[in-house]
Each structure stands twice: as structure tokens, then as C-alpha cells.
Amino acid sequence: MDSVITYIKSNFNSYVEELKEYIRIPSVSTTASYKNDVLRCADFVAEKLRTSGMTHVEIFPTEGYPLVYGEWLGQPGKPTVLIYGHYDVQPADPLELWTSDPFEPVIRDGKIWARGSDDNKGQNFIHIKAVEAFFKTKGTLPVNVKFILEGEEENGSESITKFIGKNRELLSCDAVLISDTSMYGPGIPTITYAVRGLLYMEVEVIGPDKDLHSGSFGGAVANPINELARIISQLHDKNGKVTIPNFYKKVQVISKAEKENFKRLKFSDKKYSKEIGVKELYGEKGYTTLERLWTRPTLDCNGIYGGFTEEGAKTVLPSKAAAKISMRLVPDQNPVQIAKDFIKHIKSLTPKTIKVNIKNMHHGLAAVVPFGSKALDAAATAGSKAFGKKTVFTREGGSIPIVVDFMNNLKAPVVMMGFGLDSDDIHSPNEHFHLENFEKGLYASAYFLDEFSKL
Ligand code: BES
Ligand code: MN
């Protein structure tokens, strides 16, 4: 292994340069105007897989964005790992809050700053380059490797979900490896064994059929923004619980053993609130912060709009208002059922004075990965070797909807070994990725392939 690690060290700077090229492609999947860039990014990834040494690389078109597949199956008898990642990114806005151009990566303070630097380009590029380093030093890989990269993760993963169901043979493997999560703290190798699910809804309320003068009409006509705000304010009770009927019905209670594990992680509310710049934390009564983040479902407004929001003051009673509302879900909540309950609940809160349209934008299930798989052990060992510390096991508040589909369709353990930090500002302005984690991630990926081959 020493030769592989040495090779990675001496080529690290060129990996950073290549990552910059990857990041310069603004592959924002949720915004239609970036379509050509997302497509261009798929080609870029395919080319990188080819030069990494994958022998069969294919771009599979879908109804949405293409899937990029690559494989090298030169070790019959050895296990196969399927490495998943996503080449699409979140929108960069609000642009004015970025210190440097979101799609022109710069290196500052040992970090690479740009949209996608962590989530997920930096993280998936790790595996592409680790594989390449193996080929360059040994001419072979210790295990069989398949890659699948999608371009719709930040927008619901619809196409890959369909694809997995129809291509079980192509994707068959002994483990799925995903680097799209965070480490518990700087320098701490981390395996994430659970992600929350997600249900994303849009609620539009409509009052008068056009904007009206707020003096001539205000007081006589219901204001859609006022009414929407009233509806939203009723979605939580005074204990921070979501008021949708049956919302908590299927929620699993966590075991004592897990609670103990959380305690061992020594989470500090004080440090956490300081890091994110809030005076005090807030959440569902009766639970610790880690429990709230990792094991409890939530409901949040992601955006609210309507009426006049430009500079100056315009007296207007708006015709419409809308909110984007998401719910993070936990096992065994069913997003389809909850969407129905949500719609019913919103309708029951809507006064006769306004119309309401409710849309389910996308949803995905929560996942908990069972302990005790050889792949998980191999990853824990690999992480420890790379970072020189014991690997810890965490859950995650965020979502990777495809995890459950991999588990159900491929019957293989899913290993989530991420190299980001919660402070990397993914989805926020000034996203960045620590070069140290990029480098140690490369080691961890190489060690994983080696450890996995020993099983
Ligand atoms: N990389 C994230 C998942 C994640 C979030 C990991 C936070 C660690 C910390 C992933 O790309 C993501 O953002 N997923 C979306 C999924 C959604 C759009 C279906 C999310 O969690 O919002
Ligand atoms: Mn991601």
C-alpha cells in the first residue's frame, strides 16, 4: 500500500487542478438554464472514469439527466464495490454573499472554495483518483469496481431510482460505497449509518385574481401572504412538534444502545450554536440536539414568496403567495402517506377566502444501515489508517434518498464514509472543502479497496 499512498502524495497537486476543472462546470440540476452544463459535466465525469482505468464506461440517458457508469471487473473471485456519487450541485445563490466566484474555485487557507467543492464533486473525485493511483502504481485493482454517478441528487434522484430497479444485474455488487456525508469533527474518520428521508412540498395560496391597491381593498379582502403565514404558524405546536395528524405514528423509538453511542460522541450544544452563529438552539421539546437532528422528523419552510419584495415601498395587496416546505423523515415514516396527510391538514387550515394549490415536489425514504457487515468493518479500518484515529459511527440529519433503493434492490450493505465537515457550508454561500480531507480521503479510499480485498 505504501507505493499507492506515496503516489497519491506526489500527485496531489494535479488532483486539485483536475478537481478545479470539474467544479468550473456549473452543473446545477434544479435550474433549467444550466441544462447544457449538467450534460457537459456528465461527459467530463465519463472521461475521468476512462482515464482512471475503468474498462467499460457508458453514459446512460434518462428522462432527466444522464447516469455515468464505469466498471473494471478484472478480479474474478474478489468482491465488487459499487461507488456512488453525484455530479450535480445546488444553486449558488445568493451570489452577493460569496467571497469569490462560486464556479471559479480558489485555494485559500488550505481549502478549496466553490459550489460543489465538497458536495459532491470533491468527495466523489476522491474515489476516481484513488482508483487511478492504484492502476498507475500496481497496474491493477485489489477488488472489482463499478461507478455510478447521477446528475439529479440535489433534485430528488428520480431517474436513478428507476434505473436501479431495472438494472440490478449491471449494478450487482458486494457493497455500495458513498462519500456524500460529513465527518463528526475535524480529523475524525466517520461512518454514517443513517440518513433521514425527505418530503418536499410547495404550497401556493391565491386570493384576488390580480394584485390590488392595499388601501382601496385592504381590510375587505383576505391577503394571501397573511393567510399563508397563519397556516404556516399552525404547523408546529408550542413544544416544537409538527401538528400534521399521525405525523409521529410510525416513528421508531431509538434503542438504549444508540442513546449510549450518542452520549459517547460528547456533543456540545454550546460549541455547535457558536459554530452556526445562533444565540440559542431550538427544537422539539424532550430531545437532545443529536436526537433532534438524527432521529426525529422535522418540518421547515425553505422559502416563502409573494407580493412586493423589491427596493422601496409599494402599497399592494398581492394576488398570490407561496411557500416551499420540506419535512425530514425518519424510519418508518412513509412519505407518500405523509404527503396525503399534509395536504389534508393544509386544506383544513385554509380559510374560505383563499384558494390553495399543494404540490409534492419530491420525496425519499430514510435509511438505517445494519451494523456487522464486512464492508463496514473494512471502511472503519481504512478510515482509521488514513486519519490515524479511531473511526466513529454517526447518523446524519441530511438525506441521500438513493441509499434505501440500493439496499432494497442490490441487497448489499451501504457504506457511507464521508470526508466533508458540517462547517463546509454545503448548500450555503462560500462552500469549501479542506484539502487535508481531500488528501486523507484519497488515502481512505485506497485503503478501503485494499481492506475490502482481504475479506
Ligand atoms: N450531501 C448531501 C447530504 C448531506 C447533507 C450530507 C448534510 C451531510 C450533511 C446531499 O447532497 C443532499 O444535500 N441531499 C439533499 C437531498 C434532497 C435534495 C432529496 C438534502 O439532504 O437536502
Ligand atoms: Mn450531496
Side-chain angles (χ1 to χ4, degrees):
M1 279 307 289
D2 289 355
S3 59
V4 180
I5 301 296
T6 309
Y7 183 87
I8 292 172
K9 275 189 189 149
S10 51
N11 286 277
F12 183 67
N13 289 339
S14 70
Y15 298 156
V16 174
E17 288 311 307
E18 284 180 64
L19 175 60
K20 283 187 185 167
E21 269 180 72
Y22 189 5
I23 289 170
R24 280 190 196 108
I25 309 170
S27 47
V28 180
S29 55
T30 199
T31 315
S33 58
Y34 287 102
K35 183 169 177 194
N36 283 334
D37 297 304
V38 185
L39 296 174
R40 195 154 58 85
C41 200
D43 292 336
F44 179 94
V45 172
E47 188 50 35
K48 290 295 166 191
L49 287 179
R50 273 184 211 109
T51 52
S52 80
M54 292 290 109
T55 42
H56 175 105
V57 174
E58 200 169 333
I59 297 185
F60 289 100
T62 70
E63 278 168 36
Y65 285 123
L67 292 162
V68 186
Y69 175 81
E71 68 175 30
W72 180 89
L73 304 176
Q75 288 285 15
K78 286 285 183 187
T80 301
V81 58
L82 173 68
I83 299 171
Y84 161 88
H86 62 92
Y87 64 83
D88 65 320
V89 299
Q90 284 277 323
D93 62 280
L95 288 178
E96 65 277 13
L97 296 183
W98 284 78
T99 306
S100 51
D101 185 332
F103 295 108
E104 186 44 63
V106 293
I107 309 290
R108 246 188 355 253
D109 308 328
K111 300 159 200 154
I112 177 163
W113 300 77
R115 175 58 85 231
S117 55
D118 164 331
D119 185 11
N120 174 251
K121 289 174 174 172
Q123 296 220 52
N124 63 55
F125 205 52
I126 280 175
H127 300 295
I128 299 178
K129 289 292 134 180
V131 161
E132 187 186 276
F134 251 108
F135 277 122
K136 294 274 188 198
T137 43
K138 310 231 180 229
T140 186
L141 298 179
V143 290
N144 302 297
V145 173
K146 296 176 177 178
F147 278 96
I148 184 93
L149 287 115
E150 67 157 315
E152 297 172 21
E153 197 273 348
E154 301 293 3
N155 200 22
S157 294
E158 214 173 302
S159 299
I160 192 177
T161 307
K162 288 186 193 151
F163 186 86
I164 293 176
K166 290 187 195 144
N167 292 278
R168 293 198 184 112
E169 196 50 45
L170 178 80
L171 301 176
S172 68
C173 59
D174 300 290
V176 181
L177 177 61
I178 305 178
S179 295
D180 195 20
T181 45
S182 330
M183 301 194 291
Y184 187 62
I188 305 174
T190 305
I191 290 177
T192 298
Y193 63 90
V195 285
R196 287 197 287 192
L198 186 72
L199 169 60
Y200 205 116
M201 308 290 291
E202 189 169 41
V203 177
E204 183 189 49
V205 300
I206 305 160
D209 61 6
K210 55 182 174 296
D211 289 2
L212 301 172
H213 189 290
S214 69
S216 312
F217 299 93
V221 178
N223 179 322
I225 299 180
N226 296 4
E227 295 311 318
L228 180 59
R230 201 198 308 276
I231 292 169
I232 290 170
S233 72
Q234 291 177 78
L235 296 177
H236 291 94
D237 70 11
K238 64 176 193 313
N239 293 323
K241 279 208 166 9
V242 177
T243 55
I244 302 168
N246 298 322
F247 189 69
Y248 295 96
K249 197 165 139 195
K250 295 273 172 75
V251 171
Q252 280 182 11
V253 180
I254 58 161
S255 66
K256 258 206 177 123
E258 238 190 306
K259 276 198 174 185
E260 289 303 315
N261 179 41
F262 289 6
K263 264 195 202 139
R264 274 197 298 275
L265 291 171
K266 296 201 172 56
F267 186 87
S268 157
D269 278 3
K270 216 169 159 186
K271 194 165 151 242
Y272 182 74
S273 50
K274 204 170 157 198
E275 269 166 18
I276 47 185
V278 296
K279 272 198 213 148
E280 213 176 299
L281 298 180
Y282 169 82
E284 188 185 356
K285 215 171 159 181
Y287 296 90
T288 65
T289 303
L290 281 188
E291 286 166 1
R292 287 169 179 170
L293 286 171
W294 293 352
T295 73
R296 298 295 296 169
T298 56
L299 181 149
D300 277 292
C301 261
N302 298 259
I304 179 162
Y305 49 100
F308 181 68
T309 56
E310 305 297 308
E311 193 190 342
K314 178 187 179 194
T315 47
V316 66
L317 196 159
S319 160
K320 275 186 196 170
K324 301 204 187 257
I325 298 177
S326 70
M327 284 150 267
R328 295 285 166 176
L329 307 177
V330 299
D332 290 317
Q333 286 180 300
N334 175 352
V336 177
Q337 182 58 45
I338 292 185
K340 282 187 199 156
D341 297 341
F342 176 86
I343 291 171
K344 225 168 133 185
H345 189 51
I346 296 286
K347 287 191 172 158
S348 78
L349 297 172
T350 304
K352 285 201 192 99
T353 51
I354 50 169
K355 269 198 300 238
V356 64
N357 295 322
I358 308 165
K359 200 164 95 190
N360 179 348
M361 299 186 73
H362 57 72
H363 59 259
L365 286 166
V368 178
V369 194
F371 281 105
S373 72
K374 291 178 175 171
L376 216 61
D377 296 346
T381 308
S384 298
K385 283 190 174 175
F387 286 85
K389 264 199 189 143
K390 199 163 178 250
T391 298
V392 302
F393 290 83
T394 62
R395 285 185 173 225
E396 170 59 60
S399 308
I400 308 177
I402 207 62
V403 170
V404 149
D405 299 277
F406 280 135
M407 286 167 69
N408 292 345
N409 285 288
L410 307 180
K411 310 280 179 233
V414 175
V415 177
M416 289 181 272
M417 178 166 58
F419 306 106
L421 286 171
D422 279 343
S423 55
D424 283 353
D425 285 328
I426 67 170
H427 296 210
S428 296
N430 301 312
E431 175 177 351
H432 55 275
F433 192 38
H434 289 250
L435 292 179
E436 187 187 335
N437 294 335
F438 184 42
E439 184 164 356
K440 291 191 174 154
L442 282 152
Y443 306 164
S445 176
Y447 281 127
F448 174 81
L449 299 175
D450 184 48
E451 291 296 323
F452 198 41
S453 76
K454 295 179 190 164
L455 303 170

